[in-house]
């Protein structure tokens, strides 16, 4: 069953303390070679019936109003076929 | 510059209160047709130099130890070319 995925990430110019915390922890755990880490949210929505353009447009509206804060976050809506 | 993405989602059998909260809010905002919502985390890692198999293997280790809790979460590691 296809699902609609919404990825919400902090805008590049916005400080991302969670990402910085992860970046700071990596060397302590012996990991190297990572220059930046950003942390955001991932939503997986299961919809009733076919994923039509109209459904995707609805999810775009949900993403811009409920799932993200457009002042500090960007979002991307994608349709994913089940693996 | 390519980056490595780690998607961390709650295991299907685990209750996802955040997802349920979003699902419950949708009808109040006039949205219909969504049968389930699951909320997880998305990490975008920028690595120094080329994304080799060895780098991806390192990120897999980071994902299983630092970025997710294997008891309650699943993770997927992907390489994304910059849009």
């Amino acid at each position: 069953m296809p699902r609609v995925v919404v990825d919400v990430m902090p805008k590049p110019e916005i400080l991302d303390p969670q990402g910085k915390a992860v970046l700071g922890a990596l060397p302590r755990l012996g990991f190297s070679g990572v220059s930046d880490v950003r942390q955001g949210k991932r939503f997986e929505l299961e919809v009733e019936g076919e994923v039509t353009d109209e459904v995707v447009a609805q999810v775009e509206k949900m993403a811009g109003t409920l799932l993200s804060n457009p002042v500090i976050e960007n979002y991307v809506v994608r349709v994913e076929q089940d693996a």
Side-chain angles (χ1 to χ4, degrees), chain A:
Chain A
M1 200 160 73
R3 63 175 167 233
V4 186
V5 172
V6 180
D7 287 327
V8 177
M9 293 300 289
K11 289 189 172 183
E13 65 274 19
I14 297 289
L15 177 68
D16 172 15
Q18 290 176 306
K20 290 288 174 270
V22 171
L23 185 62
L26 290 177
R28 284 203 305 274
L29 295 170
F31 296 115
S32 59
V34 176
S35 51
D36 194 23
V37 175
R38 296 184 70 70
Q39 178 173 341
K41 294 173 282 190
R42 173 184 164 99
F43 296 92
E44 291 180 0
L45 287 79
E46 253 152 55
V47 294
E48 290 142 10
E50 283 308 304
V51 178
T52 60
D53 290 345
E54 204 244 321
V55 167
V56 174
Q58 269 231 0
V59 173
E60 290 266 352
K61 254 200 288 181
M62 293 176 205
T65 52
L66 177 64
L67 305 181
S68 75
N69 173 349
V71 174
I72 59 169
E73 292 171 326
N74 291 324
Y75 64 83
V76 171
V77 176
R78 284 176 296 133
V79 180
E80 270 188 13
Q81 298 303 332
D82 240 349

